[in-house]
Amino acid sequence: MKTYRNEHVTVIVDCGVHFIQQTWTGLPTSESFQNGSLAILALARKHQPKRWLIDLQALRLFNPIDLQWFIQEWLPRATLYLPHNIRVAIILNDLNQFGKLGADMILRASARQNDAVVSRYFVGNEEARQWLMLWDK
């Protein structure tokens, strides 16, 4: 199991099941968001996950400038280096519409670059994990 952590994100990679989980908290600074996102990309590039869990329950919101960077810089890199048949589960707190808005923007941009990405929103960790683990492609 591989991990990465900064003040706003914790990342866990389970190579045995091609799984990566990132858990965002608080209100990340641009530096923290970009460094965390780049570290996630490096781990994902190395381990080629097919299952991706993004936990945004404790995230307060995305900075619009960071979202723009993510869509314009991070996603094109990810499209080049990551498997095209990836399943993404996003866990949201029902009350966190800002997190959902940011996640929607990212998922729409991701789908335009890679139509093989399958994604779904959840409000619970266990249901999200079960959905991810049912997928064996």
Side-chain angles (χ1 to χ4, degrees):
M1 199 158 302
K2 309 286 183 191
T3 61
Y4 167 85
R5 180 176 310 217
N6 73 22
E7 60 273 10
H8 293 287
V9 67
T10 301
V11 183
I12 299 168
V13 179
D14 185 340
C15 302
V17 292
H18 303 283
F19 174 81
I20 191 167
Q21 177 176 338
Q22 61 191 76
T23 303
W24 289 92
T25 60
L27 179 58
T29 63
S30 289
E31 180 181 11
S32 177
F33 179 79
Q34 290 183 18
N35 288 342
S37 296
L38 291 172
I40 291 162
L41 181 58
L43 284 167
R45 184 176 178 187
K46 181 176 181 181
H47 300 291
Q48 297 291 299
K50 295 179 182 176
R51 299 166 179 92
W52 201 308
L53 180 65
I54 303 170
D55 187 341
L56 302 178
Q57 293 176 95
L59 178 75
R60 291 200 15 228
L61 63 101
F62 287 109
N63 178 329
I65 293 169
D66 294 334
L67 285 176
Q68 183 178 4
W69 170 85
F70 192 88
I71 290 167
Q72 292 177 349
E73 301 290 329
W74 193 94
L75 275 178
R77 292 183 206 175
T79 301
L80 286 175
Y81 300 123
L82 298 180
H84 288 283
N85 59 340
I86 195 163
R87 184 172 260 208
V88 180
I90 300 169
I91 304 172
L92 295 169
N93 177 342
D94 271 341
L95 303 175
N96 185 351
Q97 291 303 309
F98 293 111
K100 185 174 187 313
L101 179 62
D104 281 344
M105 290 176 65
I106 290 169
L107 289 177
R108 281 194 301 272
S110 177
R112 284 191 300 269
Q113 293 183 33
N114 177 3
D115 61 2
V117 171
V118 177
S119 62
R120 186 170 163 197
Y121 290 106
F122 295 89
V123 293
N125 193 311
E126 190 56 37
E127 184 182 5
R129 284 178 172 275
Q130 287 175 0
W131 181 77
L132 287 171
M133 293 307 162
L134 288 175
W135 193 57
D136 285 331
K137 293 184 179 183

